[in-house]
């Protein structure tokens, strides 16, 4: 049984592209976990998408052994993602650690995500080791950045370590600081078993592989365990550690991080944040778990070919095994047929899910316009949670329409403050405060509707600040707003797939844009087609697709005008009759084009 005083559990937190994965690679090399021959950039980023995009999407644990002063220490590193959409992965990593390396780029300095993740670590009472990375770059400005860290995060400049994860300079000092500064795990090996489930994945041969951090007691092969949330019992088949591949061992004791399998067939039986205990000698209290990640953005996913529906269902079920934050349920649309309503953490999460589906199962997909979750207080006192525009009741039943509000931190160059404030004002942002981190860097804090953030605020921020601005946001609650459901009517019939929830002030512009786009996509019919944007029964925008007309008077050479009038009247009567019974064919391409333009 290992000595808990020789164990250190830590993670690396930073903004995107500040060098987390590169530093993790150096730790693997310096501790001999991998040989120089096995080394490749982003060793812990196993997914193809992670390697292509250069970002970490899922956390990856690894156990390192490092000897200092003739004593060997067990270091458990839990790699974390940096993008705001995956911050729930960061919070799960923090709960399994006692310390965190706060990594800051020596050129880019403190960014929005750096601040957010540092505060997350402080909330978990973690010991923070501040590290300045990329000091070998010609553009590095270490003294200025350390001053920013002191101003924004109250970090003592004398505690900041300097390193270059790319060249390995200063990495040994960081490893020594992990051992010297991070406290060893507390807990009693003789107490009843209590282990925190912080992740899981599905293996075709072994069933569910559960990632666990042992807080008290010992987990052994052959032991009968119980999940405290559901009370389900299993016998442990396999126990092991990540080095970074899965290496079996006999047991995991206090403070250790690893995995176990127990022939669990269904991933739904394993809940992230649950406590594992011994069935024969259960613990009295479960460990404090995690908040279940709540999907923030909802969008419909439909196969272009309806015959692919079952294949899409299977593909979504497989994705759900590896991604607990992704949710879906079947839905039906008049225009698009059978599909699924899917919930995502953000737009990047949505994009990655779509790419994984298209890549893994080669299905062509139509995505409806994304929308956020709303709350509606009905006049009878009932509160509805609305994930799609189709669920919005009639305006007469609504007492209050509430939208999700986020507190958003922008870190921008001082020269762009005015442009940034204008951008926020255009999106119904409410100013909270402004803080100078240095003479050239400003933090702006706003409260803003989530619906205004998810579409293209990040792109606009990068455009306004020439790539130097960063942002981070967190949900703070729901507030009442003047929101309406905007419906699109084609030939008097509502097209459910094109309905959207918008602010009343934006409704006319958005409705006009949608009907204009749709007019260019629907072919002309033998009768006139009205395209209307409406709020309830009030039409706010209209376009008309004129009918294809046959020249019925072509055969009339001269003669009295009354003959032509009679033919025109007969044609008009036929058009009128056709308009009443005619069906408008809306091609799939029309939905695709309109939804893409609306994005």
């Amino acid at each position: 049984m290992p000595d808990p005083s020789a164990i250190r559990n830590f993670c690396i937190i930073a903004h995107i592209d500040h060098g987390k994965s590169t530093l993790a690679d150096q730790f693997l090399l310096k501790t001999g976990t991998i040989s120089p021959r096995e080394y490749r950039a982003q060793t812990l980023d196993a997914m193809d998408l992670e390697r292509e995009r250069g970002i970490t999407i899922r956390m990856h644990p690894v156990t390192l052994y490092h000897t200092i002063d003739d004593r060997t220490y067990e270091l458990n590193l839990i790699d974390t993602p940096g993008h705001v959409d995956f911050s729930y992965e960061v919070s799960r990593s923090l709960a399994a650690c006692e310390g965190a390396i706060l990594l800051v780029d020596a050129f880019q300095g403190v960014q929005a995500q750096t601040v957010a993740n540092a505060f997350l670590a402080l909330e978990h009472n973690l010991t923070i080791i501040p590290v300045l990375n990329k000091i070998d770059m010609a553009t590095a400005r270490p003294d200025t950045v350390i001053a920013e860290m002191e101003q924004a995060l109250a970090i003592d400049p004398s505690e900041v370590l300097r390193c270059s994860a790319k060249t390995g300079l200063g990495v040994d000092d960081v490893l020594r600081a992990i051992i010297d500064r991070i406290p060893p795990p507390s807990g009693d090996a003789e107490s009843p078993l209590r282990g925190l489930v912080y992740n899981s994945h599905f293996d075709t041969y072994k069933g569910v592989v559960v990632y666990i951090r042992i807080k008290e007691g010992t987990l052994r092969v052959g032991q009968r365990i119980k999940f405290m949330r559901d009370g389900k019992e299993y016998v442990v088949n396999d126990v092991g550690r990540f080095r970074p591949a899965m290496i079996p061992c006999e047991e995991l004791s206090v403070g250790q991080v690893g995995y176990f399998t127990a022939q669990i067939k269904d991933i739904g039986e394993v809940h992230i944040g649950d406590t594992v205990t011994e069935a024969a000698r259960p613990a009295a209290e479960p460990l404090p778990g995690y908040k279940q990640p709540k999907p923030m953005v909802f969008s419909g996913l439909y196969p272009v070919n309806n015959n692919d529906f079952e294949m899409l269902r299977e593909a979504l079920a497989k994705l759900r095994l590896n991604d607990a934050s992704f949710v879906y349920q079947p839905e039906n649309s008049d225009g698009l047929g059978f599909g699924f309503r899917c919930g995502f953490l953000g737009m990047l999460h949505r994009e990655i899910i779509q790419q994984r589906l298209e890549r893994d199962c080669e299905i062509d997909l139509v995505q409806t316009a994304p929308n956020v979750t709303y709350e509606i207080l009905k006049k009878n006192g009932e509160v509805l949670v609305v994930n799609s525009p189709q669920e919005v009741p009639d305006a007469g039943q609504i007492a209050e329409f509430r939208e999700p509000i986020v507190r958003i931190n922008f870190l921008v160059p001082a020269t762009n403050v005015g442009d940034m404030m204008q951008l926020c004002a255009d999106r119904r942002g409410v100013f909270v405060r402004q803080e100078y981190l240095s003479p050239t860097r400003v933090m702006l804090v706003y409260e803003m509707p989530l619906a205004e953030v998810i579409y293209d605020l990040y792109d606009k921020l990068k455009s306004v600040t020439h790539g130097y601005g960063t942002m981070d946001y967190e949900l703070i609650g729901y507030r009442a707003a003047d929101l309406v459901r905007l419906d699109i009517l084609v030939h008097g019939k509502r097209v459910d797939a094109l309905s959207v929830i918008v602010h009343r002030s934006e409704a006319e512009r958005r409705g006009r844009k949608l009907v204009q786009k749709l007019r260019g996509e629907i072919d002309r019919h033998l009768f006139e087609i009205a395209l209307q944007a409406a709020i309830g029964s009030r039409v706010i925008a209209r376009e008309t697709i004129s009918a294809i007309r046959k020249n019925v008077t072509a055969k009339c050479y001269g003669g009295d005008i009354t003959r032509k009038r009679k033919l025109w009247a007969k044609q008009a009567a036929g058009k009128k009759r056709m308009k009443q019974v005619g069906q408008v064919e809306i091609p799939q391409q029309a939905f695709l084009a309109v939804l893409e333009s609306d994005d």
Side-chain angles (χ1 to χ4, degrees), residues 25 28-30 32-41 43:
D25 292 345
L28 294 173
L29 266 178
K30 295 273 183 189
T33 308
I34 57 171
S35 65
R37 189 170 60 80
E38 296 171 300
Y39 172 77
R40 60 173 190 167
T43 306

Side-chain angles (χ1 to χ4, degrees), residues 301-313 331-340 363-366 586 588 591:
L301 271 183
Y302 294 86
V304 170
N305 180 354
N306 278 331
N307 296 335
D308 292 338
F309 177 75
E310 283 304 322
M311 204 195 297
L312 178 60
R313 186 198 290 276
E331 72 169 1
N332 184 18
S333 157
D334 295 341
L336 296 168
F338 292 100
F340 294 91
I363 300 174
D364 289 329
L365 298 171
V366 182
I586 307 176
Q588 195 86 15
F591 285 105

Side-chain angles (χ1 to χ4, degrees), residues 11-40:
C11 59
I12 307 172
I13 52 177
H15 191 76
I16 313 158
D17 274 348
H18 280 204
K20 286 185 302 299
S21 297
T22 314
L23 184 61
D25 292 345
Q26 281 294 345
F27 287 160
L28 294 173
L29 266 178
K30 295 273 183 189
T31 57
T33 308
I34 57 171
S35 65
R37 189 170 60 80
E38 296 171 300
Y39 172 77
R40 60 173 190 167

Side-chain angles (χ1 to χ4, degrees), residues 437-510:
L437 301 187
S438 72
T440 56
R441 302 279 303 290
V442 181
M443 182 193 271
L444 290 173
V445 182
Y446 271 83
E447 287 179 3
M448 198 181 289
L450 179 61
E452 300 285 348
V453 174
I454 61 168
Y455 287 106
D456 59 352
L457 182 65
Y458 189 70
D459 296 340
K460 290 278 193 290
L461 163 72
K462 289 294 180 190
S463 171
V464 163
T465 61
H466 309 292
Y468 288 105
T470 57
M471 64 180 242
D472 171 76
Y473 60 84
E474 61 170 342
L475 187 71
I476 56 172
Y478 285 80
R479 282 186 200 153
D482 189 9
L483 301 168
V484 291
R485 185 181 74 192
L486 178 66
D487 292 323
I488 301 298
L489 286 81
V490 175
H491 198 51
K493 288 184 181 171
R494 199 180 86 178
V495 182
D496 57 355
L498 298 179
S499 295
V500 285
I501 297 170
V502 292
H503 194 266
R504 198 180 294 273
S505 62
E506 279 284 292
E508 192 175 327
R509 183 190 66 80
R510 191 88 171 267

Side-chain angles (χ1 to χ4, degrees), residues 242-255:
F242 299 97
R243 288 197 40 80
M246 290 161 61
I247 306 291
C249 64
E250 281 303 308
E251 62 178 34
L252 291 174
S253 190
V254 171

